[in-house]
């Protein structure tokens, strides 16, 4: 392969796009795992209760809230 | 892996972005699927096989099915929640 391939902007764009997608997938994966543990405390049923659904949804949002707080506070520590 | 496109007469290989993109996406999808499977195994083993017996009971089997369905559903709920949160 021609070494100038590495400077190829199309290649860089493809890789960057997949990188973004992979980061989103990782976030969803980690959050689902953590929120499952927090919210689904009993044996899985044939559907979620409304409190389980709400818990899962809240869990993701609160994680984002927390993330912001940590970022801001950390910046203040510098 | 060959990302070259057929080039008539030329002996050099040309980089083919589409072939590369497809190959890359396929491999990423495969890796992601394997990771997801491993998570399913872990979660459902924890929830459903609490006292391992000499074989899987009917209860344990149906628990595993439900667990898989619920975990997939949970993934959707989290995705949607994250996606709508970042819209505001």
């Amino acid at each position: 392969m021609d070494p100038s391939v590495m400077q190829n902007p199309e290649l860089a764009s493809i890789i960057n796009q997949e990188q973004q997608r992979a980061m989103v997938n990782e976030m969803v994966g980690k959050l689902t795992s953590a929120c499952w543990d927090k919210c689904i405390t009993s044996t899985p049923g044939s559907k979620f209760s409304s409190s389980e659904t709400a818990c899962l949804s809240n869990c993701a949002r609160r994680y984002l809230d927390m993330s912001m707080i940590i970022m801001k506070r950390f910046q203040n520590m510098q | 892996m060959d990302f070259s496109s057929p080039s008539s007469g030329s002996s050099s290989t040309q980089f083919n972005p589409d072939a590369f993109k497809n190959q890359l996406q396929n491999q990423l999808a495969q890796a992601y699927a394997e990771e997801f499977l491993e998570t399913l195994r872990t979660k459902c083993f924890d929830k459903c096989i609490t006292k391992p017996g000499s074989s899987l009971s009917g209860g344990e089997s149906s628990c595993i099915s439900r667990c898989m369905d619920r975990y997939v559903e949970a993934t959707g709920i989290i995705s949607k929640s994250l996606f709508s949160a970042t819209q505001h």
Side-chain angles (χ1 to χ4, degrees):
Chain A
M1 213 192 291
D2 189 334
S4 71
V5 145
M6 291 305 144
Q7 270 100 48
N8 185 329
E10 198 170 357
L11 169 61
S13 158
I14 289 170
I15 288 178
N16 190 49
Q17 194 179 58
E18 291 310 319
Q19 210 165 8
Q20 297 298 310
R21 217 174 274 166
M23 274 167 29
V24 171
N25 277 347
E26 185 182 1
M27 173 83 150
V28 171
K30 273 201 325 210
L31 262 187
T32 306
S33 175
C35 295
W36 172 274
D37 290 344
K38 287 194 197 296
C39 297
I40 315 304
T41 46
S42 56
T43 309
S46 34
K47 60 183 172 125
F48 284 138
S49 70
S50 52
S51 67
E52 285 171 324
T53 308
C55 180
L56 286 170
S57 184
N58 289 336
C59 180
R61 302 279 175 101
R62 298 298 76 75
Y63 183 86
L64 289 177
D65 291 343
M66 179 204 70
S67 224
M68 285 248 264
I69 290 173
I70 288 178
M71 191 87 95
K72 286 193 188 140
R73 188 133 211 281
F74 185 70
Q75 278 164 3
N76 289 338
M77 288 175 175
Q78 301 306 298
Chain B
M1 265 182 283
D2 182 7
F3 302 122
S4 59
S5 49
S7 42
S8 50
S10 159
S11 58
S12 65
T13 50
Q14 301 244 294
F15 177 71
N16 182 338
D18 286 327
F20 174 76
K21 188 176 182 175
N22 281 334
Q23 188 81 302
L24 179 59
Q25 287 182 337
N26 282 341
Q27 294 202 304
L28 284 172
Q30 213 174 314
Y32 180 66
E34 279 173 28
E35 188 183 355
F36 190 73
L37 268 175
E38 181 54 31
T39 305
L40 277 178
R41 283 192 286 260
T42 305
K43 298 304 186 191
C44 298
F45 192 71
D46 283 347
K47 290 271 184 238
C48 298
I49 319 292
T50 45
K51 280 222 143 65
S54 49
S55 65
L56 273 184
S57 71
E60 286 168 329
S61 297
S62 47
C63 178
I64 291 164
S65 293
R66 293 189 318 257
C67 173
M68 289 177 69
D69 289 345
R70 297 290 72 71
Y71 198 82
V72 167
E73 196 180 343
T75 303
I77 293 172
I78 301 287
S79 284
K80 243 194 273 181
S81 192
L82 279 181
F83 185 70
S84 64
T86 58
Q87 297 301 294
H88 301 138

PDB file of all heavy atoms in Angstrom, chain B residues 14-41:
ATOM      1  N   GLN B  14      -4.278   0.342  -5.522  1.00  0.00           N
ATOM      2  CA  GLN B  14      -4.890   1.617  -5.176  1.00  0.00           C
ATOM      3  C   GLN B  14      -5.721   1.433  -3.917  1.00  0.00           C
ATOM      4  O   GLN B  14      -6.346   0.412  -3.736  1.00  0.00           O
ATOM      5  CB  GLN B  14      -5.827   2.053  -6.301  1.00  0.00           C
ATOM      6  CG  GLN B  14      -5.116   2.196  -7.645  1.00  0.00           C
ATOM      7  CD  GLN B  14      -5.149   3.620  -8.112  1.00  0.00           C
ATOM      8  OE1 GLN B  14      -6.203   4.141  -8.411  1.00  0.00           O
ATOM      9  NE2 GLN B  14      -4.000   4.254  -8.181  1.00  0.00           N
ATOM     10  N   PHE B  15      -5.740   2.418  -3.072  1.00  0.00           N
ATOM     11  CA  PHE B  15      -6.536   2.366  -1.851  1.00  0.00           C
ATOM     12  C   PHE B  15      -7.997   2.583  -2.192  1.00  0.00           C
ATOM     13  O   PHE B  15      -8.354   3.540  -2.862  1.00  0.00           O
ATOM     14  CB  PHE B  15      -6.045   3.425  -0.878  1.00  0.00           C
ATOM     15  CG  PHE B  15      -6.863   3.491   0.372  1.00  0.00           C
ATOM     16  CD1 PHE B  15      -6.799   2.472   1.301  1.00  0.00           C
ATOM     17  CD2 PHE B  15      -7.706   4.560   0.610  1.00  0.00           C
ATOM     18  CE1 PHE B  15      -7.557   2.519   2.457  1.00  0.00           C
ATOM     19  CE2 PHE B  15      -8.464   4.618   1.766  1.00  0.00           C
ATOM     20  CZ  PHE B  15      -8.381   3.599   2.691  1.00  0.00           C
ATOM     21  N   ASN B  16      -8.856   1.690  -1.740  1.00  0.00           N
ATOM     22  CA  ASN B  16     -10.280   1.800  -2.015  1.00  0.00           C
ATOM     23  C   ASN B  16     -11.023   2.134  -0.725  1.00  0.00           C
ATOM     24  O   ASN B  16     -11.208   1.266   0.127  1.00  0.00           O
ATOM     25  CB  ASN B  16     -10.787   0.470  -2.600  1.00  0.00           C
ATOM     26  CG  ASN B  16     -12.266   0.536  -2.945  1.00  0.00           C
ATOM     27  OD1 ASN B  16     -13.011   1.361  -2.420  1.00  0.00           O
ATOM     28  ND2 ASN B  16     -12.695  -0.349  -3.833  1.00  0.00           N
ATOM     29  N   PRO B  17     -11.450   3.389  -0.581  1.00  0.00           N
ATOM     30  CA  PRO B  17     -12.088   3.822   0.669  1.00  0.00           C
ATOM     31  C   PRO B  17     -13.360   3.053   0.998  1.00  0.00           C
ATOM     32  O   PRO B  17     -13.619   2.764   2.163  1.00  0.00           O
ATOM     33  CB  PRO B  17     -12.400   5.299   0.428  1.00  0.00           C
ATOM     34  CG  PRO B  17     -11.522   5.711  -0.688  1.00  0.00           C
ATOM     35  CD  PRO B  17     -11.333   4.500  -1.534  1.00  0.00           C
ATOM     36  N   ASP B  18     -14.174   2.726  -0.016  1.00  0.00           N
ATOM     37  CA  ASP B  18     -15.429   2.028   0.252  1.00  0.00           C
ATOM     38  C   ASP B  18     -15.187   0.636   0.796  1.00  0.00           C
ATOM     39  O   ASP B  18     -15.851   0.203   1.737  1.00  0.00           O
ATOM     40  CB  ASP B  18     -16.284   1.959  -1.020  1.00  0.00           C
ATOM     41  CG  ASP B  18     -16.915   3.300  -1.350  1.00  0.00           C
ATOM     42  OD1 ASP B  18     -17.229   4.043  -0.398  1.00  0.00           O
ATOM     43  OD2 ASP B  18     -17.076   3.607  -2.541  1.00  0.00           O
ATOM     44  N   ALA B  19     -14.245  -0.080   0.178  1.00  0.00           N
ATOM     45  CA  ALA B  19     -13.929  -1.427   0.648  1.00  0.00           C
ATOM     46  C   ALA B  19     -13.403  -1.360   2.077  1.00  0.00           C
ATOM     47  O   ALA B  19     -13.757  -2.176   2.925  1.00  0.00           O
ATOM     48  CB  ALA B  19     -12.898  -2.081  -0.266  1.00  0.00           C
ATOM     49  N   PHE B  20     -12.542  -0.373   2.326  1.00  0.00           N
ATOM     50  CA  PHE B  20     -11.977  -0.195   3.662  1.00  0.00           C
ATOM     51  C   PHE B  20     -13.079   0.090   4.676  1.00  0.00           C
ATOM     52  O   PHE B  20     -13.135  -0.513   5.740  1.00  0.00           O
ATOM     53  CB  PHE B  20     -10.967   0.953   3.658  1.00  0.00           C
ATOM     54  CG  PHE B  20     -10.441   1.291   5.014  1.00  0.00           C
ATOM     55  CD1 PHE B  20      -9.496   0.475   5.619  1.00  0.00           C
ATOM     56  CD2 PHE B  20     -10.893   2.408   5.703  1.00  0.00           C
ATOM     57  CE1 PHE B  20      -9.006   0.775   6.885  1.00  0.00           C
ATOM     58  CE2 PHE B  20     -10.408   2.718   6.958  1.00  0.00           C
ATOM     59  CZ  PHE B  20      -9.463   1.899   7.548  1.00  0.00           C
ATOM     60  N   LYS B  21     -13.953   0.996   4.326  1.00  0.00           N
ATOM     61  CA  LYS B  21     -15.043   1.374   5.234  1.00  0.00           C
ATOM     62  C   LYS B  21     -15.919   0.170   5.561  1.00  0.00           C
ATOM     63  O   LYS B  21     -16.265  -0.062   6.712  1.00  0.00           O
ATOM     64  CB  LYS B  21     -15.882   2.481   4.592  1.00  0.00           C
ATOM     65  CG  LYS B  21     -16.913   3.072   5.531  1.00  0.00           C
ATOM     66  CD  LYS B  21     -17.651   4.229   4.892  1.00  0.00           C
ATOM     67  CE  LYS B  21     -18.646   4.827   5.887  1.00  0.00           C
ATOM     68  NZ  LYS B  21     -19.296   6.021   5.343  1.00  0.00           N
ATOM     69  N   ASN B  22     -16.288  -0.601   4.539  1.00  0.00           N
ATOM     70  CA  ASN B  22     -17.109  -1.787   4.759  1.00  0.00           C
ATOM     71  C   ASN B  22     -16.435  -2.790   5.667  1.00  0.00           C
ATOM     72  O   ASN B  22     -17.037  -3.321   6.601  1.00  0.00           O
ATOM     73  CB  ASN B  22     -17.449  -2.465   3.421  1.00  0.00           C
ATOM     74  CG  ASN B  22     -18.565  -1.752   2.702  1.00  0.00           C
ATOM     75  OD1 ASN B  22     -19.392  -1.104   3.331  1.00  0.00           O
ATOM     76  ND2 ASN B  22     -18.590  -1.872   1.394  1.00  0.00           N
ATOM     77  N   GLN B  23     -15.171  -3.058   5.372  1.00  0.00           N
ATOM     78  CA  GLN B  23     -14.408  -4.025   6.156  1.00  0.00           C
ATOM     79  C   GLN B  23     -14.332  -3.565   7.612  1.00  0.00           C
ATOM     80  O   GLN B  23     -14.530  -4.334   8.542  1.00  0.00           O
ATOM     81  CB  GLN B  23     -13.004  -4.162   5.550  1.00  0.00           C
ATOM     82  CG  GLN B  23     -12.171  -5.285   6.148  1.00  0.00           C
ATOM     83  CD  GLN B  23     -12.522  -6.635   5.568  1.00  0.00           C
ATOM     84  OE1 GLN B  23     -13.651  -7.090   5.625  1.00  0.00           O
ATOM     85  NE2 GLN B  23     -11.530  -7.309   5.001  1.00  0.00           N
ATOM     86  N   LEU B  24     -14.016  -2.284   7.780  1.00  0.00           N
ATOM     87  CA  LEU B  24     -13.881  -1.715   9.121  1.00  0.00           C
ATOM     88  C   LEU B  24     -15.197  -1.828   9.890  1.00  0.00           C
ATOM     89  O   LEU B  24     -15.232  -2.279  11.031  1.00  0.00           O
ATOM     90  CB  LEU B  24     -13.440  -0.251   9.021  1.00  0.00           C
ATOM     91  CG  LEU B  24     -13.260   0.534  10.329  1.00  0.00           C
ATOM     92  CD1 LEU B  24     -12.232  -0.134  11.221  1.00  0.00           C
ATOM     93  CD2 LEU B  24     -12.841   1.963  10.039  1.00  0.00           C
ATOM     94  N   GLN B  25     -16.293  -1.416   9.246  1.00  0.00           N
ATOM     95  CA  GLN B  25     -17.596  -1.460   9.914  1.00  0.00           C
ATOM     96  C   GLN B  25     -18.003  -2.883  10.254  1.00  0.00           C
ATOM     97  O   GLN B  25     -18.565  -3.141  11.318  1.00  0.00           O
ATOM     98  CB  GLN B  25     -18.655  -0.780   9.040  1.00  0.00           C
ATOM     99  CG  GLN B  25     -18.496   0.725   9.030  1.00  0.00           C
ATOM    100  CD  GLN B  25     -19.562   1.431   8.216  1.00  0.00           C
ATOM    101  OE1 GLN B  25     -20.165   0.851   7.327  1.00  0.00           O
ATOM    102  NE2 GLN B  25     -19.787   2.701   8.516  1.00  0.00           N
ATOM    103  N   ASN B  26     -17.727  -3.821   9.353  1.00  0.00           N
ATOM    104  CA  ASN B  26     -18.049  -5.225   9.620  1.00  0.00           C
ATOM    105  C   ASN B  26     -17.309  -5.750  10.839  1.00  0.00           C
ATOM    106  O   ASN B  26     -17.880  -6.416  11.692  1.00  0.00           O
ATOM    107  CB  ASN B  26     -17.714  -6.104   8.415  1.00  0.00           C
ATOM    108  CG  ASN B  26     -18.761  -5.992   7.326  1.00  0.00           C
ATOM    109  OD1 ASN B  26     -19.873  -5.554   7.569  1.00  0.00           O
ATOM    110  ND2 ASN B  26     -18.401  -6.390   6.127  1.00  0.00           N
ATOM    111  N   GLN B  27     -16.009  -5.442  10.891  1.00  0.00           N
ATOM    112  CA  GLN B  27     -15.215  -5.937  12.010  1.00  0.00           C
ATOM    113  C   GLN B  27     -15.623  -5.291  13.326  1.00  0.00           C
ATOM    114  O   GLN B  27     -15.658  -5.958  14.358  1.00  0.00           O
ATOM    115  CB  GLN B  27     -13.731  -5.709  11.734  1.00  0.00           C
ATOM    116  CG  GLN B  27     -13.257  -6.556  10.562  1.00  0.00           C
ATOM    117  CD  GLN B  27     -11.773  -6.781  10.572  1.00  0.00           C
ATOM    118  OE1 GLN B  27     -11.010  -5.833  10.592  1.00  0.00           O
ATOM    119  NE2 GLN B  27     -11.373  -8.030  10.560  1.00  0.00           N
ATOM    120  N   LEU B  28     -15.944  -4.004  13.274  1.00  0.00           N
ATOM    121  CA  LEU B  28     -16.391  -3.318  14.482  1.00  0.00           C
ATOM    122  C   LEU B  28     -17.722  -3.906  14.960  1.00  0.00           C
ATOM    123  O   LEU B  28     -17.924  -4.130  16.142  1.00  0.00           O
ATOM    124  CB  LEU B  28     -16.533  -1.819  14.236  1.00  0.00           C
ATOM    125  CG  LEU B  28     -15.229  -1.030  14.174  1.00  0.00           C
ATOM    126  CD1 LEU B  28     -15.480   0.397  13.733  1.00  0.00           C
ATOM    127  CD2 LEU B  28     -14.531  -1.037  15.517  1.00  0.00           C
ATOM    128  N   ALA B  29     -18.632  -4.158  13.999  1.00  0.00           N
ATOM    129  CA  ALA B  29     -19.935  -4.719  14.350  1.00  0.00           C
ATOM    130  C   ALA B  29     -19.762  -6.086  14.999  1.00  0.00           C
ATOM    131  O   ALA B  29     -20.442  -6.420  15.975  1.00  0.00           O
ATOM    132  CB  ALA B  29     -20.813  -4.826  13.110  1.00  0.00           C
ATOM    133  N   GLN B  30     -18.848  -6.870  14.472  1.00  0.00           N
ATOM    134  CA  GLN B  30     -18.587  -8.198  15.008  1.00  0.00           C
ATOM    135  C   GLN B  30     -18.030  -8.109  16.424  1.00  0.00           C
ATOM    136  O   GLN B  30     -18.463  -8.832  17.318  1.00  0.00           O
ATOM    137  CB  GLN B  30     -17.575  -8.906  14.113  1.00  0.00           C
ATOM    138  CG  GLN B  30     -17.796 -10.403  14.039  1.00  0.00           C
ATOM    139  CD  GLN B  30     -16.865 -11.036  13.029  1.00  0.00           C
ATOM    140  OE1 GLN B  30     -16.704 -10.537  11.923  1.00  0.00           O
ATOM    141  NE2 GLN B  30     -16.237 -12.127  13.416  1.00  0.00           N
ATOM    142  N   ALA B  31     -17.071  -7.215  16.612  1.00  0.00           N
ATOM    143  CA  ALA B  31     -16.468  -7.043  17.927  1.00  0.00           C
ATOM    144  C   ALA B  31     -17.511  -6.570  18.934  1.00  0.00           C
ATOM    145  O   ALA B  31     -17.556  -7.038  20.068  1.00  0.00           O
ATOM    146  CB  ALA B  31     -15.314  -6.040  17.857  1.00  0.00           C
ATOM    147  N   TYR B  32     -18.342  -5.659  18.497  1.00  0.00           N
ATOM    148  CA  TYR B  32     -19.382  -5.138  19.370  1.00  0.00           C
ATOM    149  C   TYR B  32     -20.365  -6.240  19.760  1.00  0.00           C
ATOM    150  O   TYR B  32     -20.782  -6.342  20.910  1.00  0.00           O
ATOM    151  CB  TYR B  32     -20.110  -3.977  18.698  1.00  0.00           C
ATOM    152  CG  TYR B  32     -21.201  -3.385  19.545  1.00  0.00           C
ATOM    153  CD1 TYR B  32     -20.898  -2.729  20.738  1.00  0.00           C
ATOM    154  CD2 TYR B  32     -22.538  -3.494  19.175  1.00  0.00           C
ATOM    155  CE1 TYR B  32     -21.909  -2.210  21.537  1.00  0.00           C
ATOM    156  CE2 TYR B  32     -23.539  -2.961  19.964  1.00  0.00           C
ATOM    157  CZ  TYR B  32     -23.223  -2.315  21.141  1.00  0.00           C
ATOM    158  OH  TYR B  32     -24.217  -1.801  21.921  1.00  0.00           O
ATOM    159  N   ALA B  33     -20.760  -7.074  18.781  1.00  0.00           N
ATOM    160  CA  ALA B  33     -21.685  -8.184  19.042  1.00  0.00           C
ATOM    161  C   ALA B  33     -21.105  -9.154  20.055  1.00  0.00           C
ATOM    162  O   ALA B  33     -21.791  -9.615  20.968  1.00  0.00           O
ATOM    163  CB  ALA B  33     -22.031  -8.907  17.745  1.00  0.00           C
ATOM    164  N   GLU B  34     -19.816  -9.462  19.928  1.00  0.00           N
ATOM    165  CA  GLU B  34     -19.175 -10.385  20.860  1.00  0.00           C
ATOM    166  C   GLU B  34     -19.141  -9.811  22.268  1.00  0.00           C
ATOM    167  O   GLU B  34     -19.370 -10.520  23.249  1.00  0.00           O
ATOM    168  CB  GLU B  34     -17.755 -10.710  20.393  1.00  0.00           C
ATOM    169  CG  GLU B  34     -17.744 -11.780  19.323  1.00  0.00           C
ATOM    170  CD  GLU B  34     -16.364 -12.013  18.727  1.00  0.00           C
ATOM    171  OE1 GLU B  34     -15.368 -11.772  19.439  1.00  0.00           O
ATOM    172  OE2 GLU B  34     -16.306 -12.421  17.558  1.00  0.00           O
ATOM    173  N   GLU B  35     -18.857  -8.520  22.357  1.00  0.00           N
ATOM    174  CA  GLU B  35     -18.831  -7.868  23.660  1.00  0.00           C
ATOM    175  C   GLU B  35     -20.225  -7.888  24.297  1.00  0.00           C
ATOM    176  O   GLU B  35     -20.377  -8.149  25.486  1.00  0.00           O
ATOM    177  CB  GLU B  35     -18.340  -6.429  23.500  1.00  0.00           C
ATOM    178  CG  GLU B  35     -18.103  -5.735  24.821  1.00  0.00           C
ATOM    179  CD  GLU B  35     -17.693  -4.287  24.649  1.00  0.00           C
ATOM    180  OE1 GLU B  35     -17.496  -3.847  23.501  1.00  0.00           O
ATOM    181  OE2 GLU B  35     -17.581  -3.605  25.683  1.00  0.00           O
ATOM    182  N   PHE B  36     -21.243  -7.629  23.470  1.00  0.00           N
ATOM    183  CA  PHE B  36     -22.610  -7.627  23.959  1.00  0.00           C
ATOM    184  C   PHE B  36     -23.013  -9.011  24.469  1.00  0.00           C
ATOM    185  O   PHE B  36     -23.617  -9.159  25.526  1.00  0.00           O
ATOM    186  CB  PHE B  36     -23.554  -7.173  22.844  1.00  0.00           C
ATOM    187  CG  PHE B  36     -24.957  -6.916  23.312  1.00  0.00           C
ATOM    188  CD1 PHE B  36     -25.262  -5.792  24.066  1.00  0.00           C
ATOM    189  CD2 PHE B  36     -25.975  -7.805  23.008  1.00  0.00           C
ATOM    190  CE1 PHE B  36     -26.553  -5.561  24.505  1.00  0.00           C
ATOM    191  CE2 PHE B  36     -27.275  -7.578  23.445  1.00  0.00           C
ATOM    192  CZ  PHE B  36     -27.564  -6.457  24.190  1.00  0.00           C
ATOM    193  N   LEU B  37     -22.642 -10.033  23.727  1.00  0.00           N
ATOM    194  CA  LEU B  37     -22.919 -11.414  24.126  1.00  0.00           C
ATOM    195  C   LEU B  37     -22.296 -11.720  25.483  1.00  0.00           C
ATOM    196  O   LEU B  37     -22.916 -12.352  26.336  1.00  0.00           O
ATOM    197  CB  LEU B  37     -22.371 -12.391  23.094  1.00  0.00           C
ATOM    198  CG  LEU B  37     -23.327 -12.828  21.993  1.00  0.00           C
ATOM    199  CD1 LEU B  37     -22.606 -13.687  20.986  1.00  0.00           C
ATOM    200  CD2 LEU B  37     -24.495 -13.622  22.587  1.00  0.00           C
ATOM    201  N   GLU B  38     -21.053 -11.277  25.668  1.00  0.00           N
ATOM    202  CA  GLU B  38     -20.364 -11.537  26.926  1.00  0.00           C
ATOM    203  C   GLU B  38     -21.082 -10.846  28.088  1.00  0.00           C
ATOM    204  O   GLU B  38     -21.226 -11.417  29.169  1.00  0.00           O
ATOM    205  CB  GLU B  38     -18.899 -11.075  26.823  1.00  0.00           C
ATOM    206  CG  GLU B  38     -18.065 -11.320  28.072  1.00  0.00           C
ATOM    207  CD  GLU B  38     -18.070 -12.760  28.559  1.00  0.00           C
ATOM    208  OE1 GLU B  38     -18.197 -13.689  27.729  1.00  0.00           O
ATOM    209  OE2 GLU B  38     -17.982 -12.960  29.788  1.00  0.00           O
ATOM    210  N   THR B  39     -21.571  -9.623  27.830  1.00  0.00           N
ATOM    211  CA  THR B  39     -22.333  -8.909  28.860  1.00  0.00           C
ATOM    212  C   THR B  39     -23.616  -9.659  29.194  1.00  0.00           C
ATOM    213  O   THR B  39     -23.971  -9.814  30.363  1.00  0.00           O
ATOM    214  CB  THR B  39     -22.677  -7.489  28.384  1.00  0.00           C
ATOM    215  OG1 THR B  39     -21.491  -6.824  28.000  1.00  0.00           O
ATOM    216  CG2 THR B  39     -23.361  -6.702  29.491  1.00  0.00           C
ATOM    217  N   LEU B  40     -24.313 -10.139  28.168  1.00  0.00           N
ATOM    218  CA  LEU B  40     -25.541 -10.918  28.370  1.00  0.00           C
ATOM    219  C   LEU B  40     -25.263 -12.133  29.247  1.00  0.00           C
ATOM    220  O   LEU B  40     -26.004 -12.427  30.179  1.00  0.00           O
ATOM    221  CB  LEU B  40     -26.114 -11.395  27.032  1.00  0.00           C
ATOM    222  CG  LEU B  40     -26.977 -10.431  26.227  1.00  0.00           C
ATOM    223  CD1 LEU B  40     -27.400 -11.087  24.923  1.00  0.00           C
ATOM    224  CD2 LEU B  40     -28.200 -10.006  27.015  1.00  0.00           C
ATOM    225  N   ARG B  41     -24.184 -12.845  28.934  1.00  0.00           N
ATOM    226  CA  ARG B  41     -23.850 -14.032  29.707  1.00  0.00           C
ATOM    227  C   ARG B  41     -23.653 -13.675  31.174  1.00  0.00           C
ATOM    228  O   ARG B  41     -24.182 -14.346  32.062  1.00  0.00           O
ATOM    229  CB  ARG B  41     -22.584 -14.697  29.151  1.00  0.00           C
ATOM    230  CG  ARG B  41     -22.798 -15.493  27.879  1.00  0.00           C
ATOM    231  CD  ARG B  41     -21.602 -16.343  27.541  1.00  0.00           C
ATOM    232  NE  ARG B  41     -20.507 -15.554  27.022  1.00  0.00           N
ATOM    233  CZ  ARG B  41     -20.230 -15.440  25.719  1.00  0.00           C
ATOM    234  NH1 ARG B  41     -20.970 -16.032  24.824  1.00  0.00           N
ATOM    235  NH2 ARG B  41     -19.198 -14.715  25.331  1.00  0.00           N
TER     236      ARG B  41
END
